[in-house]
């Protein structure tokens, strides 16, 4: 019952920010259903608390109230992860080795899997359905939380840039970038009364299949978010 309630509330929150012109149900293959893309509201720079206060509040949480995340909270979380803060140069809130933005942020809700697109501050629909438990190896709170982020390194970004490391060093650089994203998200979350749990334990096979990950995409880290009780 509780998960149904959470599901309906996050569905309302997400659908309330959908762009009217978004493309509905345009599967990449006949068997793949996709939800609507989501346009996030602009992040509000005056929101939150001081960085020092947020650091004082940061801690891992694995229990949440069941409340929905608001469109504004979703916006702040994704923008903190890898949003554009210097549009002239495609500068981001997160640093990137050699300026190559090779880590992608997937948002997994009760409604589906979405890929964050920093330039448009939108969530691009990847798959429709509740795939939250594919982002864990069995921790039940993950399946009840309104939002799970999955940080994925993409070697295509390095190849397209034509510079940077390969092999283990590439995964190391990507992992560092994912870690700094997760900490920015944790601080914004702390400032907004949202609990977080960063997680290395992800079902790689299940999430790779659900999110249609390709060769060269590497799951690095996950992060669960929900309103604190
Ligand atoms: C790289 C990394 C991986 C982690 N993986 C998990 C995980 O899979 N599941 C989980 O519940 N917590 C995970 N944690 C959270 C830690 O258990 C937590 O940070 C630790 O207990 C310290 O608690 P605190 O964050 O409240 O200070 C992870 C933390 C880090 C940094």
């Amino acid at each position: 019952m509780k998960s149904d309630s959470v599901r309906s509330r996050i569905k309302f929150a997400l659908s309330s920010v959908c762009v009217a012109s978004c493309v509905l149900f345009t599967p990449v293959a006949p068997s793949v259903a996709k939800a609507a893309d989501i346009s996030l509201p602009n992040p509000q720079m005056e929101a939150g608390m001081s960085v020092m206060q947020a650091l004082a509040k940061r801690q891992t949480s694995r229990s949440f109230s069941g409340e929905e995340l608001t469109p504004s909270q979703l916006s702040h979380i994704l923008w903190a992860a890898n949003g554009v803060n210097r549009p002239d140069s495609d500068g981001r809130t997160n640093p990137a080795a050699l300026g190559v933005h090779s880590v992608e942020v997937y948002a997994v809700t009760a409604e589906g899997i979405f890929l964050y697109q920093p330039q448009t501050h939108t969530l691009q629909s990847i798959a429709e359905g509740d795939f939250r438990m594919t982002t864990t190896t069995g921790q039940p709170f993950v399946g009840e939380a309104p939002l799970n982020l999955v940080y994925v390194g993409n070697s295509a970004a390095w190849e397209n840039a034509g510079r940077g490391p390969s092999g283990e060093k590439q995964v190391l650089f990507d992992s560092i970038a994912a870690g700094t994203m997760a900490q920015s998200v944790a601080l914004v979350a702390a400032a907004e009364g949202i609990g977080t749990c960063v997680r290395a334990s992800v079902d790689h096979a299940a999430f790779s299949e659900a999110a249609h990950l390709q060769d060269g995409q590497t799951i690095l880290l996950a992060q669960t978010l929900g309103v604190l009780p």
Side-chain angles (χ1 to χ4, degrees):
M1 290 290 283
K2 189 177 177 188
S3 64
D4 285 349
S5 169
V6 173
R7 194 170 297 135
S8 64
R9 280 181 295 209
I10 192 70
K11 186 174 187 177
F12 172 78
L14 294 176
S15 62
S16 68
V17 294
C18 283
V19 182
S21 61
C22 62
V23 180
L24 286 165
F25 303 110
T26 48
V28 295
S31 60
V32 179
K34 291 172 75 177
D37 293 352
I38 295 167
S39 182
L40 298 166
N42 290 334
Q44 300 301 305
M45 298 309 143
E46 69 280 6
M49 57 178 59
S50 78
V51 172
M52 294 302 278
Q53 288 170 325
L55 280 167
K57 282 181 175 289
R58 191 223 66 84
Q59 64 177 336
T60 294
S61 304
R62 299 182 183 88
S63 177
F64 308 110
S65 71
E67 274 178 71
E68 66 184 66
L69 294 177
T70 67
S72 171
Q73 287 170 331
L74 278 175
S75 167
H76 292 173
I77 288 163
L78 274 305
W79 190 77
N82 199 25
V84 175
N85 65 358
R86 289 153 292 155
D88 290 350
S89 60
D90 191 31
R92 307 292 178 83
T93 55
N94 202 60
L98 300 170
V100 177
H101 297 285
S102 53
V103 177
E104 299 165 334
V105 184
Y106 287 79
V108 185
T109 74
E111 307 311 315
I113 300 176
F114 303 84
L115 176 61
Y116 179 54
Q117 298 290 355
Q119 287 92 356
T120 52
H121 198 48
T122 55
L123 289 171
Q124 176 195 348
S125 177
I126 300 295
E128 185 180 35
D130 187 352
F131 297 102
R132 289 176 293 180
M133 285 304 286
T134 68
T135 75
T136 176
T137 53
Q139 293 188 278
F141 71 91
V142 173
E144 298 289 322
L147 179 65
N148 286 278
L149 301 179
V150 181
Y151 301 96
V152 175
N154 193 340
S155 63
W158 294 105
E159 284 156 23
N160 292 340
R163 61 184 186 277
S166 57
E168 282 183 13
K169 199 164 185 184
Q170 190 179 99
V171 176
L172 173 66
F173 281 14
D174 286 351
S175 299
I176 292 167
T180 55
M181 286 180 182
Q183 181 69 351
S184 293
V185 166
L187 293 180
V188 161
E192 303 214 6
I194 297 166
T196 62
C197 179
V198 67
R199 298 182 290 105
S201 56
V202 177
D203 185 333
H204 285 226
F207 183 74
S208 295
E209 184 180 349
H212 316 299
L213 297 190
Q214 306 292 313
D215 286 349
Q217 286 188 285
T218 304
I219 297 167
L220 304 166
L221 199 61
Q223 188 170 27
T224 302
L225 296 106
V227 177
L228 290 169

